Amino acid sequence: MTTTPTNTDATTNASASLPATTNTTLFEWVGEMAKLTQPDHIVWCDGSDAERRRLTEHAVATGVLKPLDPKKRPGCYLSRSSPNDVARVEHLTFICTPTKEEAGPTNNWMAPADAYAKLGKLFDGSMKGRTMYVVPYVMGPVDSPFSKVGVELTDSVYVVLNMRIMTRMGRAALERLGDSNDFNRGVHSTLDLDPEKRFICHFPEDNTIWSVGSGYGGNVLLGKKCLALRIGSYLGKKEGWLAEHMLILGVESPEGQFSYVAAAFPSACGKTNFAMMIPPRRFKGWKIWTVGDDIAWMRVGDDGRLWAVNPENGYFGVAPGTSLKSNANAMQTTAKDTLFTNVAATADGDVWWDGIDGEVPDELTDWQGRPWKKGAADKASHPNSRFTAPVTNNPMLSREWDNPAGVPISAIIFGGRRADTVPLVLQSFNWLHGVYLGATLGSETTAAATGKVGILRRDPMAMLPFCGYDMGTYFGHWLAMRHRIQNPPKIFLVNWFRKDEEGKFVWPGFGENVRVLKWIVDRARVRIGGRETPVGWVPREGDVDLSGLDISAERFEIATKVSAKEWMKELESQGEWLASLGPTVPAALHKQRELLVAAMATHPDLAEEG
Ligand code: OXD
Ligand code: MN
């Protein structure tokens, strides 16, 4: 079945716009999917401004988007999702590899034939009376060998407009694809948003993603979590690179020296804020440049170093908590040409969310479009409300962000939210130990995420919901990468969230984290000291520049303390975690743990701490 490049598609009776390609594999697939979903119209997206204006007008006319005040938020719109469709749905997300073992114990699995049959039934006629948009896109700089092409077929104009911000979308993608059949095949149909008919299925062997029954970001903007991470990690294993849930930033020293780091934090640990961090005034001359805030694709360069690109073109960030204090660059980034989802609206045509600067207004329209009064029990903005903003709005966007070669990574940082045990910063002894720190990464839940506070959830490399294959095999791939990287980045663990005995945060966080980042970069360049502990290197008091910061030597010691007692407990829990992942966890990681236990067990502190 082919869709021919004519104005009426002979095979489906759908009217079709003219595609700018002669790729017959692509036509055949679009035709096949159109035959299944039966749209009234097929629109090939070209990514032009005229198209954006036309689709935005259509979205406004049909109530999908609400324009905001053009003076307060030029080019900005608000969208409200169905109240039952406000977040990623991990329990409805499946990896459809031929065997369950390939998906591993941390993923939901469905046999590919069963998944195609089940979702095929849901897709059958699902676009009747609707338009199918053909959205070609590139993840990564258009001319980069790192990059991948995807095509998403969707019946949601909201998806098209978001994909236009989040990816390099349209004609450039078709040009890059040419006549190749190497593209990700994504199909998305909104259906009636019944959660019983909601599935996000990944077919790594077919480079295919099928998503039904949702209209929410992470489930339907298929380039992001689905392609760039789940399918990406699978391709990375196959092709010898890494697709990671990591921000990428550049640190510029007062002397103008640049160092690049990649960092993985589980959701809700302030990744976007870290990627856009503004150093405190006392750290004059230091600048942080954002390369990416969520995903890093990393390959070994000809020089034997690890090079990273950000495959995305926009930020799909959590709005609540974003303010001038926590992230002034994000505030500027979202000042124009931004799509907001599920935030509250003010009477004068602006947006509002919990934690934004200024007084809470007396009255708002809440994220469900209902009148809201100050002091009401329900939140006006949904805790997972979002902004979709182009990277080019970011005043601190790295000039390297679109470099086809990427940026050379000097340090990899893993971080979580831990009230105890994990020091402010810890440097691994070597790559294997660093991979161990990533594999056992954990973070404590916040109320926003689960309703329960302080439960430790292991989230290896922050990839638990995003690894497209078996976790133990993924660790093996990380270890194997060491043999390809002659000059590997140093690996660190950080924790901004340690508390004292009274439950107060020990470290001020936010922009002050640049002090830790400086130590990390200096360690990576082997030009600053540290103290060796049985579980890694930590800074001594004089190693971190604390000038102008009101933190006593005692508190810095609490922040960087490695307690033998806490670590013995931690190592035991890490052992249980690794065991729970089954037989594919590399023996080297188990051995690494045994070494750490042995080193800790003989540590004199253990006796002292009692
Ligand atoms: C995200 C996430 O939305 O990690 O980026 O949950
Ligand atoms: Mn993320």
Side-chain angles (χ1 to χ4, degrees):
M1 202 59 56
T2 31
T3 55
T4 47
T6 61
N7 277 354
T8 308
D9 187 320
T11 60
T12 65
N13 285 330
S15 74
S17 62
L18 289 175
T21 178
T22 54
N23 187 319
T24 45
T25 316
L26 178 56
F27 287 137
E28 276 173 22
W29 171 69
V30 173
E32 205 184 300
M33 290 301 119
K35 198 165 166 239
L36 176 64
T37 56
Q38 299 169 41
D40 283 12
H41 310 284
I42 300 174
V43 170
W44 288 73
C45 295
D46 60 17
S48 65
D49 257 341
E51 176 183 86
R52 179 183 54 77
R53 279 196 297 275
R54 198 171 60 242
L55 294 181
T56 304
E57 266 169 35
H58 171 69
V60 170
T62 51
V64 172
L65 294 182
K66 184 176 159 342
L68 295 166
D69 183 278
K71 287 218 180 66
K72 293 199 164 69
R73 299 267 169 188
C76 294
Y77 296 84
L78 169 61
S79 144
R80 295 190 182 111
S81 75
S82 167
N84 76 22
D85 185 34
V86 292
R88 286 186 288 101
V89 281
E90 286 171 25
H91 64 295
L92 301 173
T93 300
F94 291 82
I95 301 297
C96 306
T97 37
T99 65
K100 190 169 166 37
E101 287 66 37
E102 285 158 276
T106 59
N107 282 312
N108 301 311
W109 175 80
M110 232 192 274
D114 293 350
Y116 281 129
K118 191 178 187 115
L119 274 70
K121 272 201 203 112
L122 296 170
F123 274 133
D124 193 356
S126 68
M127 296 192 192
K128 264 189 201 151
R130 304 177 71 105
T131 296
M132 171 196 272
Y133 297 95
V134 182
V135 184
Y137 62 94
V138 186
M139 297 309 287
V142 172
D143 297 327
S144 168
F146 281 77
S147 300
K148 298 280 178 199
V149 175
V151 180
E152 176 167 355
L153 309 179
T154 176
D155 57 9
S156 158
V157 71
Y158 168 87
V159 168
V160 181
L161 291 168
N162 274 271
M163 284 294 282
R164 191 179 189 282
I165 297 175
M166 294 306 297
T167 71
R168 281 92 165 163
M169 186 269 258
R171 189 176 282 268
L174 289 181
E175 276 165 16
R176 155 118 196 188
L177 181 63
D179 286 328
S180 164
N181 64 3
D182 183 13
F183 62 94
N184 180 269
R185 290 145 174 78
V187 192
H188 162 247
S189 194
T190 314
L191 303 186
D192 55 3
L193 298 175
D194 174 358
E196 296 293 316
K197 290 184 266 166
R198 185 173 296 159
F199 298 97
I200 296 94
C201 288
H202 304 70
F203 304 88
E205 292 213 322
D206 303 339
N207 199 4
T208 292
I209 305 157
W210 281 15
S211 167
V212 286
S214 172
Y216 170 78
N219 303 326
V220 298
L221 307 179
L222 300 185
K224 191 177 177 66
K225 303 300 187 183
C226 300
L227 171 53
L229 287 178
R230 297 196 190 96
I231 298 282
S233 58
Y234 173 91
L235 293 176
K237 162 89 173 75
K238 205 165 104 184
E239 298 167 2
W241 53 281
L242 292 166
E244 296 302 324
H245 190 201
M246 290 181 180
L247 64 91
I248 309 165
L249 60 78
V251 187
E252 183 183 353
S253 73
E255 297 78 39
Q257 188 177 54
F258 284 82
S259 311
Y260 293 92
V261 310
F265 303 127
S267 307
C269 288
K271 216 158 119 213
T272 302
N273 294 352
F274 191 62
M276 297 185 178
M277 180 170 50
I278 300 176
R281 215 170 290 138
R282 291 169 307 259
F283 239 66
K284 228 174 120 208
W286 289 84
K287 292 196 185 85
I288 305 298
W289 299 95
T290 316
V291 180
D293 81 323
D294 197 38
I295 299 173
W297 282 358
M298 302 193 283
R299 281 174 203 264
V300 186
D302 294 338
D303 60 357
R305 290 190 291 173
L306 197 57
W307 289 73
V309 300
N310 166 20
E312 301 193 278
N313 191 52
Y315 307 115
F316 184 64
V318 176
T322 309
S323 67
L324 289 173
K325 177 171 184 233
S326 68
N327 193 340
N329 288 329
M331 294 305 282
Q332 203 170 321
T333 303
T334 54
K336 61 172 189 185
D337 301 328
T338 296
L339 302 177
F340 294 94
T341 305
N342 292 343
V343 298
T346 64
D348 60 355
D350 203 354
V351 284
W352 186 90
W353 52 76
D354 291 274
I356 199 171
D357 309 276
E359 288 285 302
V360 178
D362 290 332
E363 293 189 351
L364 290 163
T365 303
D366 80 358
W367 65 278
Q368 296 187 64
R370 305 172 305 190
W372 182 94
K373 281 202 165 44
K374 188 170 174 174
D378 286 347
K379 286 201 176 308
S381 62
H382 189 276
N384 193 34
S385 53
R386 299 277 174 153
F387 54 78
T388 315
V391 292
T392 45
N393 278 3
N394 178 357
M396 294 308 285
L397 181 63
S398 164
R399 72 182 83 133
E400 300 294 336
W401 82 276
D402 199 30
N403 187 335
V407 292
I409 298 297
S410 306
I412 288 176
I413 304 173
F414 295 114
R417 181 183 282 275
R418 300 291 301 263
D420 50 42
T421 314
V422 178
L424 180 61
V425 56
L426 185 74
Q427 183 186 357
S428 65
F429 295 122
N430 51 38
W431 184 264
L432 167 61
H433 181 217
V435 172
Y436 179 89
L437 294 178
T440 55
L441 186 64
S443 193
E444 281 150 17
T445 53
T446 57
T450 61
K452 280 194 195 141
V453 186
I455 310 287
L456 180 66
R457 185 183 190 247
R458 297 273 169 209
D459 189 350
M461 281 86 172
M463 282 288 277
L464 188 64
F466 307 120
C467 189
Y469 61 103
D470 170 62
M471 195 57 82
T473 311
Y474 166 72
F475 297 158
H477 177 48
W478 262 86
L479 292 182
M481 283 298 288
R482 174 66 185 90
H483 304 295
R484 300 170 191 260
I485 318 172
Q486 279 132 40
N487 189 0
K490 304 284 189 289
I491 303 181
F492 298 80
L493 181 66
V494 299
N495 175 24
W496 319 130
F497 302 95
R498 195 163 194 172
K499 290 183 174 165
D500 63 15
E501 280 174 355
E502 274 139 42
K504 291 206 182 83
F505 288 116
V506 186
W507 179 250
F510 298 108
E512 306 296 351
N513 293 338
V514 74
R515 299 168 189 273
V516 177
L517 199 49
K518 178 177 181 307
W519 185 74
I520 287 174
V521 166
D522 284 343
R523 288 294 293 178
R525 291 183 183 272
V526 199
R527 62 184 178 200
I528 188 96
R531 176 167 66 86
E532 190 181 336
T533 80
V535 289
W537 291 83
V538 296
R540 297 160 303 189
E541 197 204 332
D543 296 328
V544 172
D545 183 345
L546 297 175
S547 56
L549 187 63
D550 189 16
I551 184 167
S552 64
E554 293 78 55
R555 279 189 89 69
F556 187 74
E557 210 183 303
I558 301 174
T560 52
K561 186 174 164 69
V562 170
S563 150
K565 211 166 136 198
E566 284 176 350
W567 272 92
M568 286 307 270
K569 221 168 101 202
E570 174 72 8
L571 288 162
E572 197 182 319
S573 150
Q574 291 176 349
E576 285 161 16
W577 161 247
L578 291 181
S580 78
L581 296 177
T584 53
V585 171
L589 289 182
H590 292 295
K591 287 267 178 269
Q592 174 65 75
R593 192 189 77 88
E594 283 162 25
L595 268 177
L596 295 170
V597 172
M600 220 14 139
T602 54
H603 200 269
D605 280 1
L606 204 55
E608 241 173 70
E609 283 181 27

